[in-house]
Amino acid sequence: MSDKTADTRATCPVDHSASGSQPTAPHGSGCPVDHTKKPGFLSSLTGTTASTNEAKCPVDSDSVNPLNMMPALAQTMHEGQRTALSTDRESSTIPRADQPSDTHKWEYPSPQQFYNALARKNMPAPEEYVDVMVDIHNFLNEGAWNEVLKWESRHECKMPRLIRLQGRPRDISPLARIYDWRFGVRPFDRHDWFVDRCGKQVRYVIDYYEGEAKDDMPVFNLVVRPAIDDFSSLADRAKQMWQDAKQKYFPDPKK
């Protein structure tokens, strides 16, 4: 089935010019950054350690506060922490499904909460880089939501909203297995997002890949698509596959 891929760089929210392309083979299976070019602190973003090489998001999406859909992480300094980090939380562009209007958005964790999440999972990171890590974390989520909105534009609902999300780093999706077999590359993380489509719950699967670094900056490829849980999602995937095939083999000469 077809997919939608977003090329997301750490220095800008999303570069959608790569939408629809295949994921680029990473330099390492556990971390989204080439450590021969970038500092090792970003390995904490995906949970990679020298001892386990296990990749996952440091913010546990399964242990959330049902009121704000975010982990209940402390805003106080962690034991042994040397530098005070910001406790300000940035508002996302993602509407919350537990509110009556789209003016209520999800909030991202503050740098202090992010650091505490890393420390809680024994994934230490230099304090001076936490702000950058939070920026990357937020950019990836914004990129994923933008791709979800592209899929949702096929439907009449004008205000899709996010109900909840679930991190599933150990569960390889069927599409990711196909990419692994075909290209020899696996995602470093997976999320399942549950979207409210004006009363109908729709599940999206998001695989996170490392892309080739550009201008010495990390690049992330997000493969976003609706899970084939019903005929409507199957039809969306089939239509997108047909559109991708037409664009590839029968391009419009006027474009």
Side-chain angles (χ1 to χ4, degrees):
M1 288 298 174
S2 178
D3 62 85
K4 299 289 288 183
T5 305
D7 177 4
T8 306
R9 304 188 188 187
T11 53
C12 64
V14 180
D15 177 6
H16 293 291
S17 61
S19 180
S21 63
Q22 303 291 356
T24 305
H27 301 290
S29 60
C31 180
V33 176
D34 181 357
H35 293 286
T36 64
K37 297 181 178 180
K38 299 298 295 179
F41 73 90
L42 281 174
S43 63
S44 298
L45 186 63
T46 52
T48 305
T49 64
S51 59
T52 64
N53 197 36
E54 178 183 329
K56 58 184 177 180
C57 178
V59 180
D60 186 356
S61 304
D62 293 321
S63 302
V64 297
N65 183 332
L67 296 179
N68 59 12
M69 302 305 295
M70 287 299 299
L73 299 173
Q75 290 274 32
T76 56
M77 292 182 64
H78 192 269
E79 181 180 359
Q81 182 179 339
R82 305 182 308 277
T83 306
L85 299 172
S86 172
T87 58
D88 294 335
R89 297 179 62 176
E90 180 180 340
S91 179
S92 75
T93 64
I94 307 173
R96 287 171 46 172
D98 63 341
Q99 299 294 330
S101 72
D102 62 350
T103 59
H104 296 84
K105 312 293 186 182
W106 277 40
E107 286 187 330
Y108 292 123
S110 69
Q112 183 63 62
Q113 288 177 311
F114 200 91
Y115 181 86
N116 288 341
L118 293 170
R120 181 167 60 92
K121 290 179 175 292
N122 195 27
M123 295 155 55
E127 298 162 18
E128 61 270 25
Y129 294 129
V130 172
D131 285 345
V132 176
M133 296 169 67
V134 170
D135 286 342
I136 294 175
H137 175 271
N138 297 354
F139 287 162
L140 290 176
N141 280 279
E142 292 296 317
W145 182 246
N146 286 335
E147 294 302 308
V148 167
L149 291 180
K150 291 181 182 179
W151 286 101
E152 287 297 305
S153 67
R154 298 176 177 272
H155 301 273
E156 295 181 356
C157 181
K158 302 302 182 183
M159 193 178 67
R161 296 178 292 178
L162 186 60
I163 302 171
R164 61 186 176 91
L165 59 87
Q166 181 183 14
R168 301 178 60 184
R170 298 181 184 86
D171 298 330
I172 305 299
S173 67
L175 185 60
R177 291 188 185 278
I178 293 175
Y179 284 159
D180 185 24
W181 170 75
R182 185 177 177 184
F183 303 108
V185 55
R186 282 199 174 194
F188 64 80
D189 200 6
R190 168 188 171 176
H191 283 180
D192 283 14
W193 287 21
F194 297 83
V195 174
D196 175 19
R197 183 187 292 162
C198 295
K200 177 182 179 181
Q201 178 175 287
V202 182
R203 180 169 65 98
Y204 281 84
V205 179
I206 305 169
D207 290 323
Y208 297 80
Y209 292 85
E210 175 198 10
E212 288 286 349
K214 297 181 180 179
D215 299 324
D216 202 30
M217 295 303 298
V219 175
F220 306 91
N221 294 320
L222 279 57
V223 182
V224 182
R225 70 279 188 193
I228 306 179
D229 293 335
D230 55 24
F231 180 78
S232 175
S233 295
L234 175 63
D236 284 349
R237 297 275 290 270
K239 291 175 184 177
Q240 185 61 48
M241 182 174 63
W242 170 242
Q243 289 182 359
D244 290 345
K246 285 200 304 180
Q247 183 178 357
K248 180 177 181 180
Y249 297 108
F250 308 101
D252 186 347
K254 297 180 180 180
K255 294 183 179 180

